[in-house]
Amino acid sequence: MRSGPDPALGRRRRALVAYYMVDRARNGRYTSLAIAARDAGATRLELGFPFSDPIADGPILQEAADRALRHGTHWDDLRSAIRETSKVLPTIVMSYANPLWTRGLARSLANLREAGAAGLIVPDLSLEESPPWRRAARRAGLDLTLLAAPGSPLARIDALARASRGFLYLVSRYGTTGGGEISRSADLVPLVRSAHAAAPELPVYVGFGIRDRRTARRAMASGADGVIVASALESALARRPSMATVPRVLRPIASAVGTGGA
Amino acid sequence: MPSRYGPYGGAFVPETLVPALEELERTWKAARRDAGFRRELSRYSRSLGGRPTPLYFAERLSRRAGGAQIWLKREDLVHGGAHKFNNALGQGLLARRMGKPRLIAETGAGQHGVATAMIGAALGLRTEIYMGEVDMERQRPNVLRMQLLGAEVHPVTSGQRTLKDAINAALRDWIANVRTTHYLLGSAVGPHPFPAIVADFQSVIGREIARAATRLWGRPPDLAVACVGGGSNAIGTFHPLLRTRTELLGVEAGGPRGHPTGAASLARGRPGILHGTYSYVLQDRDGEIRDTASISAGLDYAGVGPEHAFLKDSGRARYVAVHDEDALRAFRWLCEDEGIIPALEPSHAIFAAVREARRRPTSHHIVVTLSGRGDKDLEVVGRAIGA
């Protein structure tokens, strides 16, 4: 019943991860959203479970979470979203620690795996708190992906890369998700190099602030294997909630990353 | 220094903050061993803060209760009008030691914001305060005080627009500016090492209580009572008394009568992870944090410090919830019986203390930590009692 490691990722192929917030108002449209993302060059999907107090998120994802909670989004909506998207693209879940913890870690993770999730990202889970979560993820057959940040000392990057599964999520800069400039490629190079040296099979994807061709190029110039696009996609969809929005945002990024698009 | 209290505590934070938390812990450990630091802390405590604060026998209030003697630990007399000074001073000195030129803080009632602004001014550190819009409205005098003290006050418009949302905003600022900024967290909550540091700097309250009690009646109090929002004045009161026989009673905000939870995380919540720590949290089935309600902005918080969670489970401390209406009654008792206008937060503790005193013999000594004065609350109280 073990999901990964995905053989394609094992060779560190280039990747574009597209993020959607789970929102009850989107029920029934996840398959189309996933197909739109795949056709625009996305290689994986990340589904965000809304949390009331998302401290790592900037205004766009905060508002998306607030909206989703106002619409009455619950755990079961996440499960049905995963069931739809995982038929189209490998799907990982982003959730803050408390919603996973509160119904029992083993049970939450088994739920996600049964629904078809391949992995999990917990933005407020530090390396120090991660051991029981890593054990639970391993038991459930999920890849638990850890985050690294520009201020992480290289020794920590090594430890994070060795402990992370699926990929290593490299935060592009000091700050929350969404707008703002990402770090210069040169500042990210040593971090990516260090992660690759510590875990040669593990790809490194850069996220936070990737919104167009330019920021995607800059992220890739660090030597990273892929990027994650969240706020840019959510803010475009909030303005124009049509399927045509998805390729408009993702295609230029996919072409910069090299996963397709124009 | 513990990072866990039984199963509670820990540091559930984005990776960006981890190096800063480690630096803070290192700096604090070194400072505790540094006689120069301790001297400076004690000098500012005395000459700027006005410590030690007195222990006052509330004779007429005790008579009203008709039982045990009620004594007040007068933290309302600390500079700025609340116990918040103790922690703001300590962490301000740590920030200077780390070479961080900018302080940020959250505030609910505004007392921690005022304390941080005072320390920022006194130590020459730039200070910015996050405060929920609802709280800015109900604690308006404190907003002006912060501004006069040179702090910039940022209204927080997300969520319920109270303390929890102010902490979110401060954490997000810290994530972005962590290299130059110290987040001067005001309560015994948040990721390790904050709960331990805040408890350490607030323990001056309990040490002074123990010393004064021994001097006045020859032994520690029979019961110590303090209000609990995040729980900083309570943990400061309890800590030095943990190894005595003193009973410990924490008093949470029950909110308006009929409200399902108020802000009583320990009484009505269950364990969860909020703002970087594992403790009792008011949450729904999905782990979403619930809206809270309390007449006192300073207690209006869905979480609580992890050490209180441990003290509750271990039975070393008891926790009860007091409703808005009863806190208001106690507020007026203290005004009329003792000529002291208390803050609404410790008014909850006063009510619980009077109730306890009724059941106890006159030979018993109850100490209530009067964590702050009530000038900030005049508008709210005026509206509530229709004055």
Side-chain angles (χ1 to χ4, degrees):
Chain A
M1 203 37 204
R2 175 147 172 74
S3 66
D6 179 338
L9 288 172
R11 291 194 302 277
R12 281 181 29 207
R13 260 191 14 201
R14 297 196 154 199
L16 168 56
V17 183
Y19 171 104
Y20 294 119
M21 180 70 76
V22 174
D23 184 327
R24 180 161 279 192
R26 283 178 173 159
N27 284 3
R29 289 198 293 143
Y30 290 105
T31 301
S32 330
L33 284 165
I35 290 170
R38 184 193 62 196
D39 292 351
T43 58
R44 300 200 131 197
L45 280 190
E46 181 184 346
L47 290 178
F49 185 63
F51 183 51
S52 51
D53 296 85
I55 55 171
D57 286 310
I60 292 163
L61 294 189
Q62 284 173 49
E63 279 158 31
D66 281 350
R67 242 185 347 259
L69 292 174
R70 274 201 308 278
H71 294 153
T73 306
H74 285 299
W75 184 250
D76 288 343
D77 299 306
L78 170 63
R79 296 207 285 176
S80 58
I82 299 168
R83 269 185 221 109
E84 292 188 37
T85 61
S86 60
K87 296 196 176 83
V88 182
L89 281 174
T91 298
I92 49 188
V93 170
M94 198 294 302
S95 171
Y96 282 83
N98 197 48
L100 299 166
W101 180 267
T102 200
R103 53 171 43 72
L105 208 44
R107 193 171 141 218
S108 303
L109 301 197
N111 269 195
L112 299 180
R113 186 67 195 93
E114 281 155 23
L120 180 65
I121 301 168
V122 185
D124 55 346
L125 185 67
S126 58
L127 178 64
E128 287 69 15
E129 299 293 346
S130 71
W133 296 65
R134 276 150 54 198
R135 277 195 298 277
R138 207 164 39 235
R139 256 180 238 129
L142 287 172
D143 286 333
L144 179 64
T145 290
L146 301 179
L147 291 88
S152 311
L154 293 186
R156 248 187 106 77
I157 298 274
D158 292 357
L160 286 162
R162 277 194 296 268
S164 191
R165 294 292 175 269
F167 60 96
L168 179 68
Y169 191 133
L170 177 59
V171 173
S172 76
R173 61 182 155 79
Y174 290 91
T176 49
T177 55
E181 200 44 271
I182 73 168
S183 299
R184 293 181 309 147
S185 312
D187 295 336
L188 297 178
V189 166
L191 307 182
V192 175
R193 201 173 283 155
S194 183
H196 281 157
E201 292 276 297
L202 189 80
V204 177
Y205 304 161
V206 177
F208 284 41
I210 311 301
R211 56 181 173 276
D212 52 18
R213 200 185 305 261
R214 186 184 63 84
T215 46
R217 274 209 187 112
R218 184 185 275 204
M220 295 302 288
S222 68
D225 306 291
V227 299
I228 301 154
V229 181
S231 297
L233 196 49
E234 280 296 341
S235 89
L237 282 169
R239 281 195 310 274
R240 297 191 59 172
S242 96
M243 289 299 157
T245 302
V246 175
R248 204 164 41 245
V249 174
L250 292 184
R251 278 233 168 85
I253 297 172
S255 86
V257 174
T259 61
Chain B
M1 170 195 36
S3 66
R4 292 272 174 181
Y5 307 91
Y8 301 109
F12 293 85
V13 289
E15 170 66 17
T16 306
L17 293 182
V18 172
L21 293 169
E22 287 175 345
E23 180 190 18
L24 177 60
E25 179 172 2
R26 273 195 311 275
T27 306
W28 174 55
K29 279 181 167 166
R32 294 188 81 193
R33 288 191 302 266
D34 176 354
F37 180 86
R38 290 202 306 267
R39 252 197 319 276
E40 197 170 28
L41 183 67
S42 133
R43 178 171 65 82
Y44 274 114
S45 279
R46 269 181 287 118
S47 56
L48 181 64
R51 303 210 69 91
T53 59
L55 194 58
Y56 169 73
F57 179 36
E59 197 173 349
R60 298 190 66 225
L61 184 72
S62 303
R63 213 177 300 146
R64 176 192 287 272
Q69 303 171 33
I70 300 173
W71 294 70
L72 305 177
K73 176 59 176 167
R74 297 293 309 276
E75 293 298 295
D76 59 318
L77 297 178
V78 177
H79 181 40
H83 73 291
K84 294 293 186 186
F85 174 91
N86 307 329
N87 169 56
L89 169 63
Q91 284 196 46
L93 292 172
L94 291 181
R96 199 169 68 177
R97 205 178 163 101
M98 290 185 286
K100 298 208 166 161
R102 177 172 176 263
L103 298 177
I104 55 170
E106 84 296 342
T107 197
Q111 292 300 112
H112 176 58
V114 167
T116 304
M118 289 180 332
I119 295 305
L123 300 182
L125 303 169
R126 209 172 102 216
T127 305
E128 295 176 41
I129 307 291
Y130 289 91
M131 188 170 189
E133 242 182 8
V134 168
D135 291 339
M136 286 178 78
E137 181 59 37
R138 59 177 163 173
Q139 310 273 229
R140 207 194 314 262
N142 273 345
V143 176
L144 182 58
R145 289 169 81 200
M146 287 183 260
Q147 287 164 341
L148 288 170
L149 293 161
E152 199 176 328
V153 183
H154 300 293
V156 177
T157 57
S158 59
Q160 207 187 341
R161 291 172 291 149
T162 55
L163 180 55
K164 169 174 80 75
D165 312 292
I167 297 179
N168 289 337
L171 282 169
R172 290 182 187 120
D173 178 314
W174 203 30
I175 289 170
N177 302 297
V178 65
R179 285 164 295 180
T180 58
T181 298
H182 175 60
Y183 178 15
L184 208 162
L185 188 48
S187 195
V189 301
H192 175 74
F194 280 112
I197 290 183
V198 175
D200 190 31
F201 288 133
Q202 292 295 1
S203 288
V204 66
I205 302 172
R207 281 197 304 272
E208 288 178 10
I209 290 174
R211 208 175 304 134
T214 306
R215 196 180 63 239
L216 288 161
W217 60 80
R219 58 191 163 88
D222 297 286
L223 171 69
V225 187
C227 62
V228 178
S232 72
N233 90 83
I235 209 68
T237 301
F238 295 172
H239 241 227
L241 299 171
L242 284 175
R243 286 201 194 82
T244 69
R245 293 167 164 284
T246 305
E247 285 177 57
L248 307 173
L249 178 64
V251 185
E252 296 187 289
R257 226 178 273 290
H259 191 278
T261 61
S265 325
L266 289 163
R268 303 199 185 123
R270 59 197 167 81
I273 298 157
L274 174 64
H275 292 147
T277 193
Y278 180 52
S279 183
Y280 279 76
V281 178
L282 291 168
Q283 54 183 317
D284 71 11
R285 202 168 46 98
D286 271 354
E288 306 292 347
I289 308 308
R290 294 178 67 150
D291 284 356
T292 52
S294 169
I295 192 168
S296 65
L299 303 184
D300 202 354
Y301 181 56
V304 65
E307 193 168 4
H308 287 296
F310 175 67
L311 292 176
K312 173 193 157 91
D313 283 10
S314 69
R316 180 61 189 90
R318 274 187 301 137
Y319 295 86
V320 295
V322 163
H323 287 295
D324 288 358
E325 295 80 358
D326 293 332
L328 275 167
R329 283 165 69 199
F331 177 96
R332 299 192 71 177
W333 296 339
L334 207 62
C335 291
E336 291 160 18
D337 290 353
E338 303 294 345
I340 296 171
I341 299 179
L344 281 169
E345 288 78 12
S347 297
H348 292 71
I350 300 285
F351 183 85
V354 167
R355 203 165 49 187
E356 287 288 328
R358 280 198 183 120
R359 306 187 193 127
R360 290 165 189 261
T362 49
S363 59
H364 266 212
H365 295 82
I366 299 177
V367 172
V368 191
T369 298
L370 187 55
S371 57
R373 67 176 190 226
D375 311 48
K376 67 184 178 63
D377 293 317
L378 298 185
E379 245 180 82
V380 174
V381 171
R383 265 202 302 277
I385 66 178

